[in-house]
Amino acid sequence: MGQTRHLLGLSGGKDSSALAVYMRDRVPEMEYFFTDTGKELPETYDFLDRLEAFLGKPIARLNVERDFDHWLTLHGGMLPSSQVRWCTIKLKIRPFEEYVGEDHAYHYIAIRADEDRVGYKPLKTTSLRNIEPKYPFKDDGITKEDVYRILEESGLGMPDYYNWRTRSGCYFCFFQRKSEWVGLLEQHPDLFELAKSYEKFNPETGERFTWSQGESLEELATPERIEQIKERTEQAKASKKKDKPNQRLIEILTDVHDDEDDEEPCLVCHK
């Protein structure tokens, strides 16, 4: 077995970013990495650049040569889904394990003290596990409110996409809610069109391969449907704000999105 390393994976989301800030001076030898799918939002790349400057050391970018399109071709054009999450395995977990190699590694994971979630699950089936997870936020009682404070006090703040989306990940992630698809259409119409180009319809079988459950992006993008989604979202936000007037806007939006679809996304993609 090789050297002992300290590793912290960044998703571009608030929790892993706050953990990087939190651990910067606690573990000076920390290595930071980002498994790049090649399909991230511009806001994600911008925020990683700012975070890199704050940390004072490079964030290793994995998957430079094998992005989402590479693996989509190898999967015969089959889009990933919540039932078949090949993207998480091929674009997130496997590159991480290759990055670690045979070294012994402490893997720092941004699960908070107010969450009940399971962290990294290895793909390797060997009896000797060389990747040991660590949960500083859980150990130190760090909650969601602390995460906001850490990012604010660092001067980094939140990634800009949190104005309309409450999870990090690919711009076409199948875990996006309807209102987040509308946000992508309005904020990045070019990326929305690219996402739409991946969808397929088999006229022989009638089978549809769409990102958003129950409707294609072309159907979702009609003016009538957009208005319906936005109206429902605004009504839900108003209701949440009335119930909890002191909540942050991002917390209100998160509650609204969770009510719309609270299916847990892949931990490695959105923390």
Side-chain angles (χ1 to χ4, degrees):
M1 187 173 294
Q3 61 180 320
T4 295
R5 299 162 66 187
H6 297 262
L7 305 175
L8 196 159
L10 296 158
S11 69
K14 66 182 189 309
D15 291 337
S16 62
S17 300
L19 182 61
V21 172
Y22 187 73
M23 299 304 298
R24 183 187 69 170
D25 299 326
R26 289 174 169 81
V27 182
E29 65 271 33
M30 187 75 78
E31 298 177 49
Y32 305 93
F33 67 92
F34 173 67
T35 46
D36 193 347
T37 64
K39 305 297 177 180
E40 311 291 335
L41 289 165
E43 294 95 326
T44 299
Y45 294 121
D46 290 344
F47 189 77
L48 286 172
D49 289 343
R50 288 162 50 200
L51 182 58
E52 193 171 55
F54 177 87
L55 296 173
K57 60 172 60 177
I59 297 172
R61 312 293 173 108
L62 312 186
N63 287 340
V64 175
E65 297 178 353
R66 295 178 295 177
D67 64 3
F68 177 86
D69 290 333
H70 168 85
W71 291 109
L72 181 65
T73 299
L74 292 184
H75 280 81
M78 182 188 72
L79 296 179
S81 66
S82 57
Q83 289 75 40
V84 185
R85 306 184 190 187
W86 60 256
C87 51
T88 304
I89 295 171
K90 299 295 176 61
L91 286 161
K92 295 293 182 177
I93 299 177
R94 183 165 292 168
F96 165 61
E97 293 187 347
E98 290 175 354
Y99 181 61
V100 176
E102 297 302 314
D103 293 335
H104 176 259
Y106 293 107
H107 181 207
Y108 295 77
I109 301 171
I111 296 180
R112 304 186 310 267
D114 54 351
E115 292 184 292
D116 183 18
R117 301 192 64 176
V118 177
Y120 158 74
K121 294 181 180 179
L123 295 178
K124 295 180 180 179
T125 57
T126 57
S127 58
L128 180 62
R129 286 189 54 189
N130 61 316
I131 301 175
E132 184 177 338
K134 297 182 78 68
Y135 304 96
F137 280 173
K138 273 191 172 297
D139 294 341
D140 296 348
I142 301 296
T143 65
K144 181 166 60 176
E145 189 60 33
D146 295 315
V147 164
Y148 294 135
R149 176 183 53 78
I150 290 168
L151 290 175
E152 288 169 0
E153 290 180 353
S154 71
L156 289 167
M158 301 284 285
D160 290 341
Y161 66 77
Y162 275 104
N163 292 324
W164 53 276
R165 170 174 161 157
T166 55
R167 292 171 177 168
S168 54
C170 297
Y171 63 78
F172 49 51
C173 180
F174 48 82
F175 280 113
Q176 282 189 107
R177 292 72 157 223
K178 305 291 186 181
S179 57
E180 292 176 313
W181 279 112
V182 172
L184 179 67
L185 174 60
E186 293 181 340
Q187 299 294 324
H188 299 289
D190 55 331
L191 297 183
F192 187 90
E193 288 301 315
L194 287 173
K196 193 165 69 172
S197 70
Y198 284 98
E199 298 190 323
K200 298 291 184 289
F201 173 69
N202 188 328
E204 295 181 2
T205 64
E207 191 173 11
R208 303 200 310 172
F209 298 92
T210 62
W211 293 116
S212 184
Q213 187 174 5
E215 65 183 331
S216 68
L217 295 186
E218 186 172 353
E219 293 166 338
L220 186 146
T222 62
E224 297 81 8
R225 182 68 175 121
I226 291 173
E227 184 61 30
Q228 182 185 49
I229 293 170
K230 293 176 72 172
E231 183 177 348
R232 183 179 61 197
T233 300
E234 289 304 315
Q235 288 175 348
K237 285 167 64 177
S239 177
K240 295 290 183 183
K241 189 173 183 179
K242 184 177 180 181
D243 292 340
K244 300 177 180 178
N246 295 323
Q247 266 197 327
R248 302 167 187 261
L249 291 177
I250 183 177
E251 292 178 284
I252 293 172
L253 189 58
T254 299
D255 287 346
V256 169
H257 286 164
D258 286 346
D259 286 347
E260 182 179 340
D261 176 11
D262 63 354
E263 187 174 9
E264 291 284 7
C266 305
L267 176 73
V268 70
C269 294
H270 99 281
K271 294 298 287 182

